[in-house]
Amino acid sequence: MPASSPNTLALTGVLDVSSVAALWPTLRDRVTGIAQIDLTAVTELDSSGVALVRCLQAAAQATGARPRVVNAPPRFAQIGLAHRVDADGN
């Protein structure tokens, strides 16, 4: 389960096609005012996980925040490059 502090949303565990659908409803309402999405404790991710992070960034941006992804595993950058997603949410 994700943990968070007032300005950080920390994701944990596996972010893949089987976990993302369950996580999205829980997380989408927790993005207001976040400055970063911390992936330190993410143990595995696929393109669904990258898409989840991007959707969280977009939801936060809709509230005026511009969260950065921090401590992303190398696979995040690899998948993100293929899908034109970066840690800044662009």
Side-chain angles (χ1 to χ4, degrees), residues 32-69:
T32 301
I34 62 170
Q36 57 189 16
I37 300 170
D38 188 351
L39 303 182
T40 299
V42 170
T43 57
E44 183 179 332
L45 85 156
D46 64 11
S47 60
S48 299
V50 172
L52 172 69
V53 171
R54 182 60 189 115
C55 287
L56 291 170
Q57 285 178 310
Q61 288 170 354
T63 70
R66 294 221 21 107
R68 293 184 47 84
V69 175

Side-chain angles (χ1 to χ4, degrees), residues 15-30:
L15 299 180
D16 66 8
V17 70
S18 63
S19 66
V20 165
L23 287 172
W24 173 244
T26 303
L27 297 174
R28 69 176 169 220
D29 297 327
R30 296 174 55 190

